[in-house]
Amino acid sequence: YQLVRALRDYLARQEVPFLIGNDDGQLARTGTGEEVRVDYNAAILFDRGRIVDTYRKLHLVPFTEHFPFERTLPGIAAWLRAADTHFWQQGDRWTVFEAGGVRFAAPICFEDTFGYLGRGFFNRGAEVLVNITNDAWSFSVPGAMQHMTMAVFRAAEGRRAVVRATNAGITCLIDANGRVIARLPAFTEDVLVGEVPLFTEGTTLYRRWGDWLPPVCAALAALAAAYAVARRLRRGRPAAKG
């Protein structure tokens, strides 16, 4: 409590907004009317110590943030909880923050690896993605590099800038062309201050049509395989006798 109070007091004295990742506990009612606490993995925007808005993670990590087979495999779910696995509730709102005249979204941790999330935020008005992430679990510079390179695709797909703030991964600034214009080394305690150019006009093919290429390629591959099988069967038939 003392740490939280000290943080809130500090934020109240600042003239710039702060985006902070934290657990977000909310009260919810069960089907029987009982009130229970529900926890979300969240990004919270503070302005002068006041909570402006909250984003609750939409795409949870299977087995570490939620267990998708809890009803069919309750024993494994109980084992994961006993191993101190913290299950969160899935968010249901595509939050787009606004601070200093800039509209931005805050995908949490590995959410910046999913193109559909970036597309959804950009199409809802986000001008920048601000990713806050924890890559400390990997203890691996190549792992942190791989995570960072996924964010490059989000910038190029949406033609919008991406800012990454990590506690142990690679903190960096990525422009709307997918170029890393500034970064800190992995697993280095430091502060990165920089500027990214904002693009607020125009769109891209991916933002318009989404993930159309993979299913089209899969359909073409299936047609090609069916054609190859049909040709082989036709060649294997015995010739008709006159």
Side-chain angles (χ1 to χ4, degrees):
Y1 173 76
Q2 292 178 351
L3 179 62
V4 172
R5 185 173 62 182
L7 175 63
R8 294 294 295 267
D9 290 343
Y10 170 80
L11 295 176
R13 297 193 300 269
Q14 307 309 307
E15 296 182 356
V16 294
F18 279 75
L19 182 71
I20 297 178
N22 199 64
D23 186 278
D24 179 39
Q26 299 289 325
L27 289 177
R29 291 194 179 275
T30 65
T32 60
E34 180 185 5
E35 240 183 7
V36 296
R37 173 182 167 131
V38 176
D39 289 322
Y40 297 89
N41 190 353
I44 306 171
L45 179 64
F46 289 86
D47 190 358
R48 292 173 176 81
R50 181 178 59 88
I51 294 178
V52 177
D53 206 348
T54 301
Y55 166 66
R56 301 180 179 95
K57 195 172 184 180
L58 293 171
H59 196 129
L60 299 175
V61 182
F63 301 100
T64 59
E65 291 184 333
H66 82 114
F67 185 57
F69 311 109
E70 188 168 1
R71 292 185 178 179
T72 54
L73 300 171
I76 295 180
W79 175 76
L80 288 171
R81 284 196 174 90
D84 202 26
T85 302
H86 189 97
F87 289 158
W88 275 290
Q89 184 76 14
Q90 183 180 17
D92 58 3
R93 187 165 69 94
W94 295 74
T95 305
V96 175
F97 299 102
E98 184 169 354
V102 178
R103 292 171 57 81
F104 67 94
I108 297 171
C109 204
F110 93 136
E111 283 191 312
D112 67 346
T113 66
F114 295 99
Y116 85 94
L117 284 172
R119 176 175 179 260
F121 284 124
F122 289 138
N123 287 345
R124 288 168 172 80
E127 299 165 343
V128 182
L129 289 187
V130 179
N131 175 241
I132 50 179
T133 189
N134 172 17
D135 283 336
W137 58 271
S138 68
F139 298 104
S140 165
V141 174
M145 288 286 294
Q146 184 183 39
H147 190 179
M148 182 198 71
T149 56
M150 295 296 100
V152 170
F153 285 93
R154 305 294 81 80
E157 288 168 351
R159 196 66 66 189
R160 295 291 186 267
V162 175
V163 176
R164 301 186 77 239
T166 74
N167 67 342
I170 299 178
T171 295
C172 64
L173 308 176
I174 306 171
D175 71 12
N177 294 313
R179 294 178 296 196
V180 179
I181 56 179
R183 74 176 188 178
L184 296 177
F187 301 100
T188 301
E189 184 177 355
D190 205 340
V191 176
L192 178 64
V193 178
E195 296 181 358
V196 290
L198 288 182
F199 290 85
T200 59
E201 301 295 333
T203 185
T204 62
L205 293 178
Y206 181 73
R207 285 179 56 188
R208 287 180 177 176
W209 298 338
D211 295 302
W212 59 271
L213 185 58
V216 169
C217 291
L220 292 176
L223 289 174
Y227 175 72
V229 170
R231 284 194 62 184
R232 177 164 295 187
L233 291 175
R234 187 178 303 170
R235 288 177 180 176
R237 290 178 182 174
K241 295 181 178 181

